[in-house]
Amino acid sequence: KLQKRLAIISHQQGVPPFQFVHCTGGIMAPVVSFAQCILAKEYPGMKGSKSPDFIDLWSLDRYQTEVGNQFGLPVADLIGAHTEPDIGSGSDPAPARSGIALCLLHDNIPMNAYGNPFVKWKLDEVKGEFGMADDNVVFKRYGQNGITSSDPKVVTSAYIKSDKILLTPVNRGKKGSFQTLDFTSLDLGPIKSARDAETGENLSNRLKGAKLTFFVKWHDYRLILLELRK
């Protein structure tokens, strides 16, 4: 009733409502029907620097089921909002990156950076330059886009526009390694260039047709930008 009343008041004031719903215990259809965004997860379960990170704690099946984006609304992931302050604080970006990696694979929005805001700020910058909010962006999730890797522990989702593609390979394995990504299934046509949109590293010399070889750290991601020839 509260969500319904808030929506009515907004419309009565001539303001389009924008309501977040935080369903910690479960999604309730009558509540979500009046929302524009879901706040998800808020998971507190790590202690000590040697504890598992988010990729250890959340399998892809579990994340897709409990968080995902299957309810027809944008999902904002509260990555470790109530974790202990010593985890992910200071200069260690690894816990934040493991949480953001899950967001990238599922087209979710990381709401905080687990004690390291610089990681999220850079991601926001990359998304802005790509034009992530444009109407012509198509998201294709791992397991549904046909993209393969030399290691099945590396999975990739893709954001696709007419002139460029942002690939988000995530290494769920226990060690960093060089990977060859095959995105022939996307049928992109001639590729002009390839680079890491986060670091600026030029990857064009590692591009062979619709295959790209690169290094990715364990439980980490890359933001690979492919520019297409017009």
Short mmCIF file of all heavy atoms in Angstrom, two decimals, residues 192-229:
data_model
loop_
_atom_site.label_atom_id
_atom_site.label_comp_id
_atom_site.label_asym_id
_atom_site.label_seq_id
_atom_site.Cartn_x
_atom_site.Cartn_y
_atom_site.Cartn_z
N LYS A 192 37.61 -2.54 -36.44
CA LYS A 192 38.61 -1.49 -36.63
C LYS A 192 39.69 -1.55 -35.57
O LYS A 192 40.89 -1.42 -35.87
CB LYS A 192 37.92 -0.12 -36.59
CG LYS A 192 38.85 1.05 -36.76
CD LYS A 192 38.06 2.36 -36.69
CE LYS A 192 38.98 3.57 -36.81
NZ LYS A 192 38.21 4.85 -36.70
N SER A 193 39.32 -1.71 -34.30
CA SER A 193 40.31 -1.70 -33.22
C SER A 193 39.76 -2.40 -31.99
O SER A 193 38.55 -2.60 -31.86
CB SER A 193 40.70 -0.25 -32.87
OG SER A 193 39.57 0.45 -32.35
N ALA A 194 40.69 -2.74 -31.09
CA ALA A 194 40.33 -3.35 -29.81
C ALA A 194 41.22 -2.75 -28.73
O ALA A 194 42.43 -2.62 -28.92
CB ALA A 194 40.50 -4.87 -29.86
N ARG A 195 40.62 -2.37 -27.61
CA ARG A 195 41.39 -1.83 -26.50
C ARG A 195 40.68 -2.10 -25.19
O ARG A 195 39.47 -2.37 -25.16
CB ARG A 195 41.64 -0.33 -26.67
CG ARG A 195 40.40 0.54 -26.61
CD ARG A 195 40.75 2.01 -26.76
NE ARG A 195 39.57 2.86 -26.85
CZ ARG A 195 38.95 3.40 -25.80
NH1 ARG A 195 39.41 3.18 -24.57
NH2 ARG A 195 37.89 4.17 -25.96
N ASP A 196 41.44 -2.02 -24.11
CA ASP A 196 40.86 -2.13 -22.78
C ASP A 196 40.30 -0.75 -22.42
O ASP A 196 41.06 0.22 -22.28
CB ASP A 196 41.92 -2.55 -21.76
CG ASP A 196 41.33 -2.85 -20.40
OD1 ASP A 196 40.60 -1.98 -19.87
OD2 ASP A 196 41.61 -3.91 -19.83
N ALA A 197 38.99 -0.65 -22.29
CA ALA A 197 38.36 0.65 -22.04
C ALA A 197 38.65 1.18 -20.65
O ALA A 197 38.48 2.37 -20.39
CB ALA A 197 36.85 0.54 -22.24
N GLU A 198 39.11 0.33 -19.75
CA GLU A 198 39.41 0.74 -18.37
C GLU A 198 40.83 1.27 -18.26
O GLU A 198 41.08 2.31 -17.64
CB GLU A 198 39.21 -0.43 -17.43
CG GLU A 198 39.35 -0.09 -15.96
CD GLU A 198 39.07 -1.27 -15.05
OE1 GLU A 198 39.26 -2.42 -15.48
OE2 GLU A 198 38.64 -1.03 -13.91
N THR A 199 41.80 0.59 -18.87
CA THR A 199 43.22 0.96 -18.75
C THR A 199 43.74 1.70 -19.96
O THR A 199 44.80 2.34 -19.88
CB THR A 199 44.08 -0.29 -18.52
OG1 THR A 199 44.04 -1.11 -19.71
CG2 THR A 199 43.57 -1.09 -17.33
N GLY A 200 43.05 1.60 -21.09
CA GLY A 200 43.53 2.21 -22.33
C GLY A 200 44.48 1.32 -23.12
O GLY A 200 44.96 1.72 -24.18
N GLU A 201 44.80 0.12 -22.63
CA GLU A 201 45.73 -0.77 -23.32
C GLU A 201 45.23 -1.12 -24.72
O GLU A 201 44.09 -1.52 -24.91
CB GLU A 201 45.92 -2.05 -22.51
CG GLU A 201 46.85 -3.05 -23.17
CD GLU A 201 46.93 -4.38 -22.44
OE1 GLU A 201 46.23 -4.54 -21.42
OE2 GLU A 201 47.67 -5.27 -22.91
N ASN A 202 46.11 -0.95 -25.71
CA ASN A 202 45.77 -1.28 -27.09
C ASN A 202 45.86 -2.79 -27.28
O ASN A 202 46.92 -3.39 -27.06
CB ASN A 202 46.73 -0.58 -28.05
CG ASN A 202 46.32 -0.74 -29.51
OD1 ASN A 202 45.40 -1.51 -29.82
ND2 ASN A 202 46.99 -0.04 -30.39
N LEU A 203 44.78 -3.43 -27.69
CA LEU A 203 44.75 -4.87 -27.88
C LEU A 203 44.60 -5.26 -29.35
O LEU A 203 44.42 -6.44 -29.66
CB LEU A 203 43.58 -5.47 -27.08
CG LEU A 203 43.61 -5.24 -25.56
CD1 LEU A 203 42.30 -5.73 -24.93
CD2 LEU A 203 44.79 -5.96 -24.93
N SER A 204 44.68 -4.29 -30.24
CA SER A 204 44.44 -4.56 -31.67
C SER A 204 45.42 -5.58 -32.24
O SER A 204 45.06 -6.37 -33.12
CB SER A 204 44.52 -3.25 -32.46
OG SER A 204 43.49 -2.36 -32.07
N ASN A 205 46.67 -5.57 -31.74
CA ASN A 205 47.66 -6.51 -32.25
C ASN A 205 47.40 -7.94 -31.79
O ASN A 205 48.06 -8.87 -32.27
CB ASN A 205 49.07 -6.07 -31.85
CG ASN A 205 49.27 -6.03 -30.34
OD1 ASN A 205 48.29 -5.92 -29.59
ND2 ASN A 205 50.51 -6.10 -29.89
N ARG A 206 46.46 -8.13 -30.89
CA ARG A 206 46.10 -9.48 -30.42
C ARG A 206 44.77 -9.95 -31.01
O ARG A 206 44.24 -10.96 -30.60
CB ARG A 206 46.01 -9.49 -28.89
CG ARG A 206 47.31 -9.10 -28.20
CD ARG A 206 47.15 -9.13 -26.70
NE ARG A 206 48.35 -8.67 -26.02
CZ ARG A 206 48.46 -8.51 -24.71
NH1 ARG A 206 47.43 -8.79 -23.93
NH2 ARG A 206 49.58 -8.08 -24.17
N LEU A 207 44.30 -9.18 -31.97
CA LEU A 207 43.02 -9.48 -32.60
C LEU A 207 43.24 -10.21 -33.91
O LEU A 207 44.01 -9.77 -34.77
CB LEU A 207 42.26 -8.17 -32.85
CG LEU A 207 40.84 -8.24 -33.42
CD1 LEU A 207 39.90 -8.89 -32.41
CD2 LEU A 207 40.36 -6.83 -33.77
N LYS A 208 42.59 -11.36 -34.07
CA LYS A 208 42.65 -12.12 -35.31
C LYS A 208 41.22 -12.47 -35.71
O LYS A 208 40.63 -13.41 -35.15
CB LYS A 208 43.49 -13.39 -35.13
CG LYS A 208 44.98 -13.12 -34.92
CD LYS A 208 45.77 -14.42 -34.85
CE LYS A 208 47.25 -14.12 -34.67
NZ LYS A 208 48.06 -15.38 -34.60
N GLY A 209 40.70 -11.71 -36.66
CA GLY A 209 39.31 -11.91 -37.07
C GLY A 209 38.37 -11.62 -35.91
O GLY A 209 38.34 -10.51 -35.38
N ALA A 210 37.60 -12.65 -35.51
CA ALA A 210 36.67 -12.50 -34.39
C ALA A 210 37.19 -13.20 -33.15
O ALA A 210 36.41 -13.67 -32.32
CB ALA A 210 35.30 -13.04 -34.78
N LYS A 211 38.53 -13.25 -33.02
CA LYS A 211 39.15 -13.84 -31.84
C LYS A 211 40.15 -12.86 -31.23
O LYS A 211 40.87 -12.18 -31.96
CB LYS A 211 39.84 -15.17 -32.18
CG LYS A 211 38.89 -16.25 -32.65
CD LYS A 211 39.63 -17.55 -32.91
CE LYS A 211 38.67 -18.65 -33.37
NZ LYS A 211 39.37 -19.94 -33.61
N LEU A 212 40.18 -12.81 -29.92
CA LEU A 212 41.06 -11.87 -29.22
C LEU A 212 41.72 -12.59 -28.05
O LEU A 212 41.05 -13.26 -27.26
CB LEU A 212 40.27 -10.67 -28.70
CG LEU A 212 41.05 -9.60 -27.93
CD1 LEU A 212 42.02 -8.88 -28.87
CD2 LEU A 212 40.10 -8.59 -27.28
N THR A 213 43.05 -12.44 -27.94
CA THR A 213 43.80 -13.05 -26.85
C THR A 213 44.24 -11.96 -25.87
O THR A 213 44.75 -10.92 -26.28
CB THR A 213 45.03 -13.81 -27.38
OG1 THR A 213 44.60 -14.83 -28.28
CG2 THR A 213 45.81 -14.45 -26.24
N PHE A 214 44.06 -12.20 -24.58
CA PHE A 214 44.38 -11.21 -23.56
C PHE A 214 44.56 -11.93 -22.22
O PHE A 214 44.19 -13.10 -22.06
CB PHE A 214 43.27 -10.17 -23.44
CG PHE A 214 41.92 -10.78 -23.16
CD1 PHE A 214 41.46 -10.99 -21.87
CD2 PHE A 214 41.11 -11.18 -24.22
CE1 PHE A 214 40.24 -11.57 -21.62
CE2 PHE A 214 39.88 -11.78 -23.98
CZ PHE A 214 39.44 -11.96 -22.68
N PHE A 215 45.11 -11.21 -21.24
CA PHE A 215 45.29 -11.75 -19.90
C PHE A 215 44.19 -11.21 -18.99
O PHE A 215 43.83 -10.03 -19.06
CB PHE A 215 46.65 -11.36 -19.32
CG PHE A 215 46.96 -12.00 -17.99
CD1 PHE A 215 47.50 -13.27 -17.93
CD2 PHE A 215 46.68 -11.33 -16.80
CE1 PHE A 215 47.78 -13.87 -16.71
CE2 PHE A 215 46.96 -11.93 -15.57
CZ PHE A 215 47.51 -13.20 -15.53
N VAL A 216 43.65 -12.07 -18.14
CA VAL A 216 42.66 -11.63 -17.16
C VAL A 216 43.01 -12.25 -15.81
O VAL A 216 43.29 -13.44 -15.71
CB VAL A 216 41.22 -11.99 -17.60
CG1 VAL A 216 41.06 -13.48 -17.82
CG2 VAL A 216 40.21 -11.48 -16.59
N LYS A 217 43.03 -11.43 -14.77
CA LYS A 217 43.35 -11.89 -13.43
C LYS A 217 42.25 -12.80 -12.89
O LYS A 217 41.12 -12.77 -13.37
CB LYS A 217 43.54 -10.70 -12.48
CG LYS A 217 44.68 -9.77 -12.84
CD LYS A 217 44.73 -8.60 -11.88
CE LYS A 217 45.85 -7.63 -12.24
NZ LYS A 217 45.87 -6.46 -11.32
N TRP A 218 42.57 -13.59 -11.87
CA TRP A 218 41.57 -14.47 -11.27
C TRP A 218 40.52 -13.63 -10.55
O TRP A 218 40.82 -12.63 -9.92
CB TRP A 218 42.22 -15.50 -10.35
CG TRP A 218 42.67 -14.97 -9.02
CD1 TRP A 218 43.76 -14.21 -8.76
CD2 TRP A 218 42.01 -15.16 -7.77
NE1 TRP A 218 43.84 -13.92 -7.43
CE2 TRP A 218 42.78 -14.49 -6.79
CE3 TRP A 218 40.85 -15.83 -7.37
CZ2 TRP A 218 42.42 -14.47 -5.46
CZ3 TRP A 218 40.50 -15.81 -6.03
CH2 TRP A 218 41.28 -15.14 -5.10
N HIS A 219 39.29 -14.06 -10.67
CA HIS A 219 38.14 -13.39 -10.04
C HIS A 219 38.10 -11.90 -10.38
O HIS A 219 37.79 -11.06 -9.56
CB HIS A 219 38.14 -13.60 -8.53
CG HIS A 219 37.76 -14.98 -8.14
ND1 HIS A 219 37.36 -15.33 -6.86
CD2 HIS A 219 37.69 -16.13 -8.86
CE1 HIS A 219 37.09 -16.63 -6.81
NE2 HIS A 219 37.27 -17.13 -8.01
N ASP A 220 38.42 -11.60 -11.63
CA ASP A 220 38.46 -10.21 -12.09
C ASP A 220 37.80 -10.14 -13.46
O ASP A 220 37.39 -11.15 -14.03
CB ASP A 220 39.90 -9.72 -12.15
CG ASP A 220 40.03 -8.21 -11.98
OD1 ASP A 220 39.00 -7.51 -12.16
OD2 ASP A 220 41.12 -7.74 -11.66
N TYR A 221 37.72 -8.91 -13.99
CA TYR A 221 37.08 -8.70 -15.28
C TYR A 221 37.94 -7.79 -16.14
O TYR A 221 38.84 -7.10 -15.66
CB TYR A 221 35.70 -8.08 -15.10
CG TYR A 221 35.69 -6.74 -14.37
CD1 TYR A 221 35.90 -5.53 -15.04
CD2 TYR A 221 35.49 -6.69 -13.00
CE1 TYR A 221 35.89 -4.32 -14.38
CE2 TYR A 221 35.48 -5.48 -12.31
CZ TYR A 221 35.69 -4.31 -13.00
OH TYR A 221 35.70 -3.11 -12.33
N ARG A 222 37.65 -7.78 -17.44
CA ARG A 222 38.21 -6.79 -18.36
C ARG A 222 37.04 -6.09 -19.04
O ARG A 222 35.95 -6.66 -19.19
CB ARG A 222 39.09 -7.46 -19.43
CG ARG A 222 40.30 -8.22 -18.92
CD ARG A 222 41.41 -7.31 -18.42
NE ARG A 222 41.99 -6.45 -19.42
CZ ARG A 222 43.12 -6.73 -20.11
NH1 ARG A 222 43.75 -7.88 -19.89
NH2 ARG A 222 43.62 -5.87 -20.97
N LEU A 223 37.26 -4.85 -19.43
CA LEU A 223 36.27 -4.10 -20.19
C LEU A 223 36.87 -3.85 -21.57
O LEU A 223 37.65 -2.91 -21.77
CB LEU A 223 35.95 -2.77 -19.49
CG LEU A 223 35.34 -2.89 -18.09
CD1 LEU A 223 35.25 -1.52 -17.43
CD2 LEU A 223 33.96 -3.55 -18.15
N ILE A 224 36.53 -4.70 -22.51
CA ILE A 224 37.16 -4.69 -23.83
C ILE A 224 36.24 -4.01 -24.84
O ILE A 224 35.12 -4.46 -25.08
CB ILE A 224 37.51 -6.12 -24.28
CG1 ILE A 224 38.54 -6.71 -23.31
CG2 ILE A 224 38.03 -6.10 -25.71
CD1 ILE A 224 38.89 -8.14 -23.60
N LEU A 225 36.74 -2.93 -25.43
CA LEU A 225 35.96 -2.16 -26.39
C LEU A 225 36.41 -2.50 -27.81
O LEU A 225 37.58 -2.35 -28.16
CB LEU A 225 36.14 -0.66 -26.14
CG LEU A 225 35.37 0.28 -27.06
CD1 LEU A 225 33.88 0.15 -26.84
CD2 LEU A 225 35.82 1.73 -26.86
N LEU A 226 35.48 -2.95 -28.61
CA LEU A 226 35.72 -3.21 -30.03
C LEU A 226 35.03 -2.13 -30.85
O LEU A 226 33.84 -1.90 -30.68
CB LEU A 226 35.15 -4.58 -30.43
CG LEU A 226 35.63 -5.80 -29.63
CD1 LEU A 226 34.90 -7.04 -30.13
CD2 LEU A 226 37.14 -5.98 -29.73
N GLU A 227 35.79 -1.47 -31.70
CA GLU A 227 35.20 -0.47 -32.60
C GLU A 227 35.10 -1.09 -33.98
O GLU A 227 36.06 -1.69 -34.49
CB GLU A 227 36.06 0.79 -32.61
CG GLU A 227 36.07 1.51 -31.27
CD GLU A 227 36.78 2.84 -31.35
OE1 GLU A 227 38.01 2.87 -31.17
OE2 GLU A 227 36.10 3.86 -31.58
N LEU A 228 33.95 -0.92 -34.62
CA LEU A 228 33.68 -1.56 -35.90
C LEU A 228 33.95 -0.61 -37.05
O LEU A 228 33.81 0.61 -36.93
CB LEU A 228 32.23 -2.03 -35.94
CG LEU A 228 31.76 -2.90 -34.76
CD1 LEU A 228 30.32 -3.31 -34.97
CD2 LEU A 228 32.65 -4.10 -34.57
N ARG A 229 34.34 -1.19 -38.18
CA ARG A 229 34.52 -0.39 -39.40
C ARG A 229 33.16 -0.10 -40.01
O ARG A 229 32.30 -0.97 -40.08
CB ARG A 229 35.38 -1.15 -40.42
CG ARG A 229 36.80 -1.40 -39.96
CD ARG A 229 37.64 -2.01 -41.07
NE ARG A 229 38.96 -2.37 -40.60
CZ ARG A 229 39.97 -1.52 -40.49
NH1 ARG A 229 39.79 -0.25 -40.87
NH2 ARG A 229 41.15 -1.92 -40.06
#
